[in-house]
Amino acid sequence: MRGEAAVSQEQRETGSGAAPGQASLVGDVVDTRRFQRAGSLLREVVFELDAAGRLVMTCLAWERLMGVPAAAWKGRLLVDLFHPEDRDQARALLRTAVARVDCPARLELRLAGGVQPRWVEVSVTGDPERLGGVLGTLVDVTPRRLAEDAAATRERYLGAMVEVQRRLLAPESTGDLYNAILEPLGLVAGASRAYVFEFHRDGAGRMLQSQRAEWAAPGVSREFESLGTQGWPVDEAFRLNQWMELSRGEAVQGPPESFGESTAPALKAQGIRALLVLPLTVHGELFGFIGFDNCAESRMWSPVELKLLSGAAGALSLALEQHTADALRVRTEATLRRTEAGFHLLIEGFPDPVVVHTTDGMLLSVNPAMARYLGYQDPAELLGRHLLGLVRREDQEVARLHLEEAQDGGLAARSHEVPLLRRDGQVVSADLVTLGVLFDGVPARVTVARDFTERKRMQAQLMLGDRLASMGMLAAGIAHELNNPLSYVLSNLEFLHRALGPMPRPLGAEELMEYQQVLDDAREGSERMRQIVRQLKVFSRVDDAHDEPVDLHRVLDSVTQMAASEIRPRARLVKQYGSVPAVRANEGKLFQVFLNLVINAAHAIPEGLTDEHEIRLITRVDGDGRVVVDVRDTGRGIAQEHLSRIFDPFFTTKVPGQGTGLGLSICDTIVRALGGSISVESAPGHGATFRVALHSAVRGTGPSPARVA
């Protein structure tokens, strides 16, 4: 009976029992329905272009992205959608898609129109069904671009602020406070010129302004000796409302025509398109200003930039207060270090949470933003505590690793996601960046914490998309894995139903033994189905943030069962398990990591050569006590020029349409969030080895047994 069920299953899989053409037709219908269901889950705009690049078809998401119905754009050129400066890139992208080169055709371009730029990621490929046609997607990446730009701006300004403070305190300085800081401030502000004017009065008591220092970018003319830089009346240089704003300690910015009527022509003649003025106050009196010219564009400085540059102006004002009237350019390093006020002024106004701590982590200074972020009323409540005391015990290893990367006086350590503990016990995810500085004359570190909530949400969306892609890829194999045991469970139950008949009767010993065997087979098939369902349940837990001791061998076994349909036609699977302890992780996330690695290994091997290739899973403990997993294949390998980019988002060596380029990037994100590492070794024609190293769980967890299969 079981043999008959197996034959029936083979006929269903090969289509030999169906009428000619029927199996193919049914398969096409099923594929179409699956594509439609999957498309309803996507938030991307999917579109089709004809050979001339005109829009032929799109979806409802078009209106959500563009704000106009898709029908209004049908028949128009897609390149007209983009900013005029980006249209040549868009045309080149479409030509690449039509040529069907072996690399992803993907770019991030700006949309036309609007006051603020909007960015979309455009992914395109040639349409195999329509000569010269193009299929593609649009994804709004504006929030990510803005978040990345804002983060980069803050990090760049923080580095400049640290450099300004270093120059104010440098013992080799000749005492020229102005020229010492104009260059780093001008560069970070994206200015064409940076300069300092001081106020003074003439014999009649009229307020005048005179330039004392200037920095100019390469290729920009210096105006230090120009007419109007010495002894120019303040009431002609500024409008009354602008003078009032400067007197209140506020910044003034705008195009040349917004300043004094007699000054505006001179500003335009210097090529200035935008101007920023920050007041300098000494002992409560307006002393002068720092100015910045933009000769390239009329872009205004953002509120964040204004706040940070104002902090630098405040630090210079404080330095000027420490000098006598006849030595404005003489540095008083000892006084500034003793008061520490200059550095405090910089971090006090910083919009992100900031702490200054010793090289071993003792908190020396905390700004108000950090106190609010952690739920404290007064920053003084945190002084004297250790930085690792703000981190959960299980996350302290990641935080310690981050601190060790920041060398005194060096560049910023790369950011790490570290959960911080608030005063009320809640946990907030922060992205930490640390720089080496001098504080009170001794080496110290300054750490900036950026809220990780939005980035965490975007990562969760990417992981969800990767899971859906993996499930779509494995759907047929999973159905096959479920269908086989289900077939012989049903066959055996049907056999019992017929054998026992409708009327009860005594059973002989031989019949009982046969029926017992039939039930055992049915139970074995049911257990197999239960294991597959459990694996799907584990895979669905990838968004669960709970970490716990995880048996790595059980995860790898589940992964290989799930990916069996991808491995079986390509290679032998070899499990070389050593004796390793449990690791502290999320089981679902580890499942996603190793499923991606195993599927990638399988796809690197051509079908039909099972006897010549293998995929080997090796587990061991390295010299540092970490648990290491090697996923090794004998496939085509990875080119040397691709190795450095293999974990970059959206980078893939697969042909268009067969990979999103997110799988390995997500693996890297998950493993690093667990405090581990992932690396790759490969050479073309010699396969590849992906190595994942993880920290073991808490002591007392027994190792998984060693075995080879």
Side-chain angles (χ1 to χ4, degrees):
M1 194 66 180
R2 291 187 295 275
E4 295 175 1
V7 171
S8 177
Q9 172 62 21
E10 180 179 357
Q11 291 175 342
R12 283 193 294 273
E13 290 178 350
T14 61
S16 59
Q22 181 178 356
S24 176
L25 179 60
V26 171
D28 290 344
V29 172
V30 171
D31 286 345
T32 301
R33 290 176 178 173
R34 288 173 58 200
F35 177 79
Q36 292 172 344
R37 291 174 182 171
S40 67
L41 300 174
L42 298 176
R43 302 180 66 180
E44 299 95 340
V45 174
V46 181
F47 63 84
E48 179 182 359
L49 307 179
D50 61 16
R54 292 185 295 263
L55 185 68
V56 175
M57 183 191 70
T58 185
C59 59
L60 294 177
W62 178 281
E63 184 171 352
R64 292 197 299 268
L65 176 64
M66 303 304 304
V68 296
W73 201 270
K74 189 173 181 180
R76 295 179 58 184
L77 293 173
L78 183 73
V79 294
D80 293 341
L81 184 70
F82 305 112
H83 191 280
E85 295 179 2
D86 291 352
R87 287 174 185 171
D88 286 343
Q89 296 184 62
R91 294 185 183 97
L93 182 70
L94 295 180
R95 288 195 297 269
T96 301
V98 173
R100 297 193 177 113
V101 297
D102 292 336
C103 62
R106 182 180 293 113
L107 276 178
E108 289 185 2
L109 303 173
R110 293 169 293 177
L111 294 177
V115 178
Q116 296 295 331
R118 293 179 61 204
W119 291 84
V120 293
E121 182 189 71
V122 188
S123 301
V124 291
T125 184
D127 186 355
E129 303 297 330
R130 185 193 301 268
L131 182 62
V134 173
L135 301 175
T137 62
L138 300 174
V139 181
D140 189 351
V141 295
T142 303
R144 175 177 62 77
R145 290 292 296 243
L146 293 178
E148 290 176 353
D149 290 344
T153 297
R154 290 179 177 178
E155 289 186 21
R156 189 174 69 252
Y157 269 87
L158 177 61
M161 299 304 104
V162 172
E163 177 63 13
V164 166
Q165 182 67 10
R166 187 192 68 78
R167 294 191 179 193
L168 288 174
L169 301 177
E172 68 276 8
S173 171
T174 60
D176 188 352
L177 293 176
Y178 296 151
N179 284 309
I181 67 171
L182 285 180
E183 180 182 9
L185 290 179
L187 289 173
V188 76
S192 304
R193 302 185 192 91
Y195 42 82
V196 174
F197 277 74
E198 292 178 0
F199 296 141
H200 56 95
R201 296 185 182 275
D202 61 11
R206 189 180 188 184
M207 185 71 75
L208 307 177
Q209 63 182 37
S210 295
Q211 188 170 1
R212 301 305 186 200
E214 182 185 47
W215 167 87
V220 178
S221 64
R222 296 177 61 87
E223 301 294 336
F224 191 88
E225 303 296 335
S226 298
L227 180 65
T229 62
Q230 305 297 323
W232 190 265
V234 170
D235 56 1
E236 294 180 15
F238 297 97
R239 298 181 185 272
L240 179 60
N241 64 305
Q242 294 174 331
W243 178 252
M244 297 301 295
E245 290 171 355
L246 289 175
S247 300
R248 293 194 299 267
E250 300 173 5
V252 174
Q253 68 170 326
E257 54 266 26
S258 66
F259 286 78
E261 293 181 0
S262 60
T263 306
L267 298 177
K268 291 181 179 179
Q270 296 173 16
I272 299 173
R273 301 181 64 182
L275 178 65
L276 169 64
V277 174
L278 300 169
L280 295 174
T281 304
V282 176
H283 298 300
E285 297 291 331
L286 193 59
F287 180 80
F289 63 85
I290 301 179
F292 299 89
D293 292 344
N294 191 332
C295 299
E297 55 182 341
S298 57
R299 179 190 72 87
M300 297 294 102
W301 284 265
S302 69
V304 171
E305 293 175 301
L306 292 179
K307 196 165 188 177
L308 294 168
L309 290 172
S310 296
L316 177 58
S317 296
L318 183 65
L320 292 173
E321 288 184 357
Q322 308 303 319
H323 290 68
T324 60
D326 59 351
L328 291 177
R329 296 173 180 85
V330 176
R331 191 172 305 276
T332 54
E333 176 183 346
T335 303
L336 283 175
R337 285 180 173 172
R338 188 166 53 251
T339 62
E340 301 175 6
F343 193 74
H344 278 297
L345 190 59
L346 289 176
I347 67 170
E348 287 286 323
F350 202 73
D352 284 333
V354 179
V355 295
V356 181
H357 51 89
T358 62
T359 55
D360 60 357
M362 195 66 65
L363 298 182
L364 301 174
S365 179
V366 180
N367 76 340
M370 175 62 86
R372 291 192 299 270
Y373 187 56
L374 297 180
Y376 291 86
Q377 295 293 327
D378 188 353
E381 298 179 65
L382 293 168
L383 296 181
R385 296 179 59 178
H386 199 281
L387 184 63
L388 294 182
L390 307 178
V391 181
R392 296 183 304 183
R393 183 179 299 275
E394 58 267 30
D395 299 311
Q396 289 184 357
E397 184 63 28
V398 177
R400 184 178 293 107
L401 175 65
H402 172 73
L403 294 180
E404 290 174 354
E405 287 186 358
Q407 301 299 322
D408 296 340
L411 299 176
R414 69 178 182 84
S415 60
H416 282 79
E417 179 195 355
V418 178
L420 300 180
L421 279 173
R422 286 175 49 87
R423 187 176 190 177
D424 56 11
Q426 294 184 358
V427 177
V428 291
S429 292
D431 211 17
L432 300 186
V433 178
T434 299
L435 304 94
V437 296
L438 285 177
F439 188 81
D440 197 19
V442 298
R445 291 170 182 162
V446 56
T447 295
V448 182
R450 298 195 305 268
D451 186 64
F452 201 61
T453 304
E454 179 63 20
R455 184 170 159 192
K456 193 94 170 177
R457 184 186 66 81
M458 293 177 65
Q459 284 185 350
Q461 289 180 345
L462 290 176
M463 289 183 186
L464 175 60
D466 183 65
R467 266 193 299 157
L468 291 174
S470 297
M471 291 303 297
M473 183 185 303
L474 298 175
I478 293 173
H480 176 74
E481 293 294 324
L482 283 171
N483 195 53
N484 276 343
L486 180 61
S487 295
Y488 63 77
V489 167
L490 292 176
S491 298
N492 289 339
L493 292 178
E494 179 66 21
F495 171 76
L496 283 175
H497 179 74
R498 293 178 179 177
L500 293 175
M503 299 298 293
R505 61 184 179 82
L507 299 176
E510 293 183 359
E511 287 182 305
L512 285 174
M513 290 181 63
E514 181 181 6
Y515 297 160
Q516 181 67 40
Q517 181 62 42
V518 170
L519 288 174
D520 287 344
D521 290 343
R523 184 172 61 181
E524 179 182 346
S526 300
E527 177 63 23
R528 172 63 185 142
M529 289 187 290
R530 188 184 71 84
Q531 291 177 2
I532 295 173
V533 172
R534 178 195 172 277
Q535 292 159 10
L536 291 172
K537 183 179 179 182
V538 170
F539 197 29
S540 70
R541 292 180 59 224
V542 73
D543 292 329
D544 185 358
H546 179 65
D547 291 345
E548 59 187 358
V550 175
D551 183 346
L552 200 54
H553 291 166
R554 187 173 71 172
V555 171
L556 293 175
D557 288 342
S558 296
V559 165
T560 54
Q561 290 174 4
M562 184 73 74
S565 60
E566 297 292 322
I567 299 172
R568 193 178 297 118
R570 294 175 168 90
R572 304 183 309 276
L573 177 66
V574 179
K575 298 177 182 178
Q576 187 178 332
Y577 292 170
S579 181
V580 299
V583 296
R584 185 163 192 85
N586 173 273
E587 188 177 13
K589 290 181 179 179
L590 281 189
F591 194 105
Q592 184 170 8
V593 168
F594 291 113
L595 182 62
N596 273 331
L597 296 181
V598 169
I599 290 177
N600 278 356
H603 287 178
I605 299 172
E607 292 189 25
L609 301 174
T610 306
D611 294 336
E612 300 178 16
H613 292 282
E614 72 172 26
I615 296 174
R616 185 177 292 264
L617 303 180
I618 305 171
T619 62
R620 55 188 171 83
V621 177
D622 67 7
D624 296 326
R626 298 185 305 173
V627 179
V628 178
V629 181
D630 288 349
V631 180
R632 183 177 301 169
D633 67 73
T634 57
R636 60 178 176 268
I638 304 170
Q640 188 66 33
E641 63 269 21
H642 293 156
L643 284 176
S644 61
R645 300 183 56 199
I646 200 69
F647 296 108
D648 290 351
F650 303 108
F651 178 79
T652 178
T653 58
K654 297 179 180 178
V655 298
Q658 292 188 10
T660 64
L662 285 175
L664 290 178
S665 173
I666 289 172
C667 291
D668 181 65
T669 298
I670 293 174
V671 171
R672 291 188 182 277
L674 295 173
S677 64
I678 182 171
S679 60
V680 60
E681 298 174 359
S682 181
H686 297 281
T689 298
F690 283 85
R691 181 166 294 118
V692 177
L694 300 166
H695 294 288
S696 62
V698 292
R699 294 180 181 176
T701 305
S704 300
R707 69 177 190 269
V708 177

